[in-house]
Amino acid sequence: MSNTTPTTTPPSAKKPQITIIGSLNIDFVTATPRCPGPGETLTATSLTVSAGGKGGNQAVACGRSSFTSQTTQDVSVNMIGAVGAEDPYYTTLLQPALEKSGVDTKSIEQSTVAQTGSASIIVEEAIGGENRILVVPGANHAGLLSDVGNILAALERYPSTPDIVVLQGEIPRSTTLGLLEYFNGSVEDRAKVVFNPAPVFPEGIPLSALRGTAVLIMNETEVVQMARSIEGLPVGDVVEGDGLRPEELAPRFHERADVEIVLITLGAKGVYFSTKSGRSGLVAGVKVAKVVDTTAAGDTFVGYFATAVARFLATGQSIGAFDDGIEGAVSKANSAAAMCVQRRGAMQSIPFAYDME
Ligand code: ADP
């Protein structure tokens, strides 16, 4: 773990700033030889309680990617989210994990109307560790996170405007649409959006909200669902073989929704990138000796890439000029995600940047 007292950047340079607006969960993972039947009680193998939620994971990834050394954090990272009031799991697990990763937690609401979101995960050992997951959104779907006005008010309490706002699909759809519309509007000095529509809302995302998104990051399932959504089709489920090739899918988001950068993560294969100006290609994944656990690999990728974009925007350049840096940023984010898959767990498996040198 790092020392979280960062040194300051030179006074002339604006310190890049990222705000993650998203979910925080406690994950209860029970490993069991097999699942109990109705009415049956079974002795399981183990219980692990850990900090999670896509918002929290991506905040940790942004924070850790900005520690260029154990004592230097070159990007300010803030999280806007919500947990149950005085939840001991928040104070003992989530908050320390965020803060030790350099994430400011002062805008995390302590909700009195809902409990901290949770995921109860049953890992069935007899069938190769297959997961069954029950999510209770709790505070992720109540109070602050159901109110765009309050979120924007929370943002205004920071001394400067963020360069990047990172959004996922685990807070209410209405909030997500409101935030996309606000930030993707044509007002120049607003933060740019890195949007990871995971999971894709069953009702999809209307073009009016998606239009003008700076960075859209999707995996192979999400890209098919989002492509349907921008055509006004039902999102539906995706079965293997449903997908068109990334080079056919990505341009649709530029043409139809004016998205600046489209990234499609392809697991071990790496990432396909495409920019509005016509640059595209595959950045191959990093080969690893043994995949231990892919949880949070996508979140690690999102956080590392978002940090690279924030650093660039803080120099005063526009997102359209990021083309030259995109392959380097994808490559670094691939390396971080490859480190993540070699470690067990979610947040704890996300590497610090100084660990990757
Ligand atoms: P998600 O977990 O969101 O479905 P992916 O499976 O596409 O996302 O993984 C996200 C990123 O994590 C990939 O683009 C790649 O950089 C990295 N990654 C995932 N699986 C592997 C693997 N087996 N080996 C190396 N890198 C991987």
Side-chain angles (χ1 to χ4, degrees):
M1 285 291 150
S2 67
N3 176 338
T4 55
T5 314
T7 56
T8 48
T9 43
S12 56
K14 175 192 175 296
K15 191 166 184 177
Q17 191 179 322
I18 302 179
T19 301
I20 297 88
I21 305 171
S23 58
L24 291 163
N25 280 340
I26 301 293
D27 294 344
F28 299 91
V29 185
T30 307
T32 174
R34 65 173 176 83
C35 278
E40 186 187 6
T41 301
L42 202 67
T43 301
T45 313
S46 63
L47 170 70
T48 313
V49 183
S50 55
K54 280 189 173 294
N57 290 346
Q58 293 181 12
V60 164
C62 289
R64 294 187 181 184
S65 66
S66 63
F67 274 94
T68 51
S69 77
Q70 296 216 2
T71 52
T72 313
Q73 186 180 12
D74 70 347
V75 179
S76 298
V77 181
N78 318 298
M79 170 104 200
I80 295 181
V83 294
E86 293 166 32
D87 181 335
Y89 283 118
Y90 175 63
T91 47
T92 57
L93 268 179
L94 265 166
Q95 193 174 28
L98 291 164
E99 290 183 350
K100 284 179 186 156
S101 304
V103 180
D104 180 301
T105 60
K106 71 170 178 293
S107 296
I108 294 177
E109 180 184 62
Q110 309 267 328
S111 171
T112 51
V113 296
Q115 69 208 71
T116 305
S118 66
S120 300
I121 305 167
I122 298 178
V123 181
E124 199 171 350
E125 292 160 337
I127 48 171
E130 189 96 65
N131 284 344
R132 286 161 208 250
I133 306 179
L134 285 162
V135 172
V136 181
N140 295 315
H141 274 202
L144 177 66
L145 289 176
S146 59
D147 188 329
V148 175
N150 278 343
I151 292 173
L152 296 178
L155 265 175
E156 274 174 17
R157 288 195 283 274
Y158 292 109
S160 59
T161 314
D163 299 287
I164 289 288
V165 162
V166 184
L167 300 172
Q168 316 79 27
E170 290 186 340
I171 62 172
R173 179 174 180 264
S174 56
T175 306
T176 308
L177 299 188
L179 291 170
L180 285 170
E181 271 159 17
Y182 177 82
F183 289 109
N184 288 342
S186 55
V187 181
E188 262 315 304
D189 61 358
R190 285 186 190 159
K192 295 288 168 211
V193 172
V194 170
F195 183 34
N196 172 225
V200 175
F201 294 108
E203 306 86 356
I205 297 283
L207 268 179
S208 56
L210 196 64
R211 185 163 286 124
T213 299
V215 182
L216 183 61
I217 307 180
M218 301 160 287
N219 69 12
E220 287 166 289
T221 304
E222 291 143 10
V223 69
V224 173
Q225 294 178 316
M226 287 293 287
R228 290 176 186 155
S229 169
I230 61 172
E231 298 301 332
L233 299 169
V235 161
D237 293 329
V238 177
V239 290
E240 217 173 312
D242 258 4
L244 288 172
R245 290 182 301 137
E247 51 275 38
E248 289 164 326
L249 289 165
R252 301 180 185 189
F253 295 94
H254 303 306
E255 287 154 19
R256 303 269 294 144
D258 208 26
V259 174
E260 198 74 45
I261 297 172
V262 176
L263 300 173
I264 305 173
T265 65
L266 305 167
K269 284 176 275 173
V271 172
Y272 181 82
F273 72 91
S274 169
T275 71
K276 202 163 81 176
S277 63
R279 197 165 175 151
S280 64
L282 177 78
V283 179
V286 175
K287 284 202 173 37
V288 303
K290 185 165 186 275
V291 177
V292 175
D293 179 358
T294 59
T295 311
D299 296 331
T300 302
F301 182 88
V302 170
Y304 267 75
F305 192 83
T307 301
V309 180
R311 285 189 182 116
F312 180 80
L313 294 178
T315 64
Q317 299 181 79
S318 72
I319 184 74
F322 190 62
D323 269 33
D324 286 341
I326 194 164
E327 282 171 81
V330 169
S331 175
K332 181 141 193 220
N334 269 348
S335 301
M339 267 184 91
C340 168
V341 305
Q342 295 176 79
R343 300 170 172 181
R344 196 164 295 287
M347 275 186 193
Q348 73 262 33
S349 66
I350 301 170
F352 281 86
Y354 59 76
D355 267 347
M356 294 178 37
E357 297 312 321

